[in-house]
Amino acid sequence: MASFIPRTVFPTLDSLPRSYYLGHHAAGLAKMRTMLSQIDLVIECRDYRIPLTSRNPMFEESLAGQERMIVYTKKDLGTTGGTSEDRKRHTLLRNFHAPSPVLFSDHKSSRDVRQILTHIRESYDRQGSLTGSHLMIVGMPNVGKSSLLNALRREGVGKGKVAHTGAQPGVTRKIGTSVKIIAPPEGEGSGGVYLLDTPGVFIPYVPDADHMLKLALCGSVKDNVIPRFTLADYLLYHINLVSPALYDTYHPPTNDVMPLLEAIARKTGRLQKGGQPDLEGTAMWMVQRWRNGHLGRFMLDEVDEQALERYGPGMDGEKGRSVNQMRRAGKEALRVKAKARRAATNG
């Protein structure tokens, strides 16, 4: 039997949606700008599995000049833990963001959360404010902002969950009220550190189809935006590059997602009337299994010096033009959606 050869490229899909920039994304970003004068530190969250793709250049432009901390969330879903590859990747990302501090977090890990709190306390102590410090947490949709806020509150003041979380993006649609995550020093009645949760803000236009697929696979867009079979096929493509053994309880190594989905459906009992496999439901089940770490834990972005160099030039020159292009494309996407809604209403 011939040895299995995985696909080295995923086919380009010109018909793939390239925008998920919603009205509350634009409104949220505009509101964040108006509040910056009250904010001492911005915590920007990015998904560790896609550390480059989950970067939103609009934050760097809109929140420019603010003290910033980068937190790569969901690190437990992008690694098996403590490998030399992880350490090299962490070093590259820290150097890339210097002088801003960079931390890597699993919100279920008390150790990780306490490290973030230590950095926040250091920033608070440097400011020496008598009235307290106010922070803002930002990021793309569904990168784990609210989960991190809840974890910081749990470890910082021993209080329970205050921010709603969910598997789909858009749970947080408005800027909330400040939540205390660090109590003031003993003997001081006022002060402390307060964190403001914000809605996730998507990129107005994603020029690269591969980036859109990565964002969709990690849950930054709702699951009805990208066809489920496309998502499952894209996941299969990445799994095969890591290890086809991850699905060997269901099917031998394959580059064809449909027989794999049929095998999974029959093995897990996902059948419709007449015993026909529910392929669409199984495709979503497969994607969710990976998102939860049950079908491999690995990166989608390749992080090396060459990749970081392509993201390097801040917001000047070519990068600045790309933000303006994204804005125009985002406005056009909103116009098209509004026109479609009017047509549906009039029809």
Side-chain angles (χ1 to χ4, degrees):
M1 183 177 178
S3 61
F4 174 69
I5 301 175
R7 290 172 287 181
T8 56
V9 294
F10 192 78
T12 302
L13 302 170
D14 294 332
S15 61
L16 200 74
R18 301 294 181 86
S19 178
Y20 185 64
Y21 192 60
L22 306 178
H24 72 271
H25 295 171
L29 188 61
K31 181 69 173 176
M32 290 176 213
R33 289 194 195 101
T34 67
M35 302 181 73
L36 284 181
S37 61
Q38 310 163 37
I39 300 301
D40 302 306
L41 174 68
V42 172
I43 301 176
E44 183 185 346
C45 294
R46 301 183 185 181
D47 191 317
Y48 183 68
R49 297 166 295 183
I50 45 172
L52 306 182
T53 303
S54 59
R55 164 186 179 258
N56 189 338
M58 297 188 75
F59 288 132
E60 295 170 25
E61 182 190 57
S62 301
L63 310 180
Q66 292 294 127
E67 185 179 350
R68 186 172 61 144
M69 172 192 298
I70 309 294
V71 177
Y72 284 101
T73 59
K74 308 184 184 184
K75 76 168 188 182
D76 54 310
L77 299 176
T79 174
T80 52
T83 66
S84 59
E85 280 297 312
D86 290 324
R87 289 191 290 273
K88 180 180 177 183
R89 192 181 298 124
H90 291 185
T91 299
L92 285 169
L93 289 169
R94 285 193 174 105
N95 292 340
F96 177 66
H97 291 297
S100 296
V102 176
L103 295 103
F104 304 88
S105 171
D106 165 10
H107 74 269
K108 298 183 290 295
S109 165
S110 294
R111 179 176 176 271
D112 288 352
V113 177
R114 285 197 295 265
Q115 283 184 339
I116 297 171
L117 284 169
T118 296
H119 279 266
I120 292 172
R121 282 195 185 94
E122 289 172 355
S123 174
Y124 175 43
D125 291 342
R126 284 195 303 271
Q127 291 159 14
S129 172
L130 298 176
T131 58
S133 182
H134 294 270
L135 283 56
M136 178 185 287
I137 190 166
V138 304
M140 293 273 275
N142 212 22
V143 294
K145 299 181 300 299
S146 297
S147 294
L148 179 58
L149 184 154
N150 288 330
L152 290 169
R153 181 171 167 82
R154 179 191 72 224
E155 295 293 332
V157 295
K159 297 292 181 66
K161 177 177 176 179
V162 290
H164 295 293
T165 60
Q168 291 290 289
V171 174
T172 305
R173 298 178 69 89
K174 294 182 179 179
I175 293 178
T177 55
S178 292
V179 173
K180 183 184 288 186
I181 59 169
I182 296 177
E186 193 172 346
E188 296 184 18
S190 61
V193 178
Y194 297 82
L195 182 57
L196 199 62
D197 197 11
T198 65
V201 177
F202 200 76
I203 306 169
Y205 181 74
V206 183
D208 189 296
D210 192 60
H211 287 187
M212 189 69 180
L213 286 168
K214 288 177 181 177
L215 289 164
L217 189 54
C218 288
S220 283
V221 305
K222 284 197 173 178
D223 289 333
N224 59 2
V225 173
I226 305 296
R228 294 182 176 189
F229 293 138
T230 301
L231 268 188
D233 191 26
Y234 187 67
L235 174 57
L236 174 62
Y237 160 71
H238 275 282
I239 289 176
N240 281 337
L241 293 175
V242 175
S243 173
L246 289 167
Y247 57 83
D248 63 4
T249 57
Y250 305 108
H251 197 278
T254 179
N255 287 316
D256 189 344
V257 73
M258 299 311 285
L260 173 60
L261 291 176
E262 182 171 349
I264 293 175
R266 297 194 182 281
K267 184 91 171 180
T268 59
R270 284 173 169 74
L271 304 175
Q272 297 174 321
K273 289 182 179 179
Q276 292 300 309
D278 177 8
L279 298 181
E280 194 167 355
T282 302
M284 206 62 249
W285 180 86
M286 178 180 170
V287 169
Q288 292 290 5
R289 291 286 290 175
W290 178 77
R291 287 176 182 167
N292 294 326
H294 302 305
L295 201 55
R297 296 170 182 250
F298 52 83
M299 308 287 291
L300 299 181
D301 276 349
E302 186 174 344
V303 180
D304 55 29
E305 291 181 359
Q306 290 73 30
L308 289 171
E309 194 174 323
R310 292 195 293 271
Y311 282 79
M315 296 314 304
D316 299 323
E318 187 172 337
K319 292 291 181 184
R321 289 195 296 272
S322 70
V323 169
N324 291 330
Q325 289 166 0
M326 285 191 294
R327 278 211 186 100
R328 288 195 294 271
K331 288 178 181 178
E332 179 61 25
L334 290 174
R335 279 196 294 269
V336 170
K337 284 184 180 179
K339 185 176 180 180
R341 281 197 298 268
R342 287 196 298 271
T345 301
N346 295 333

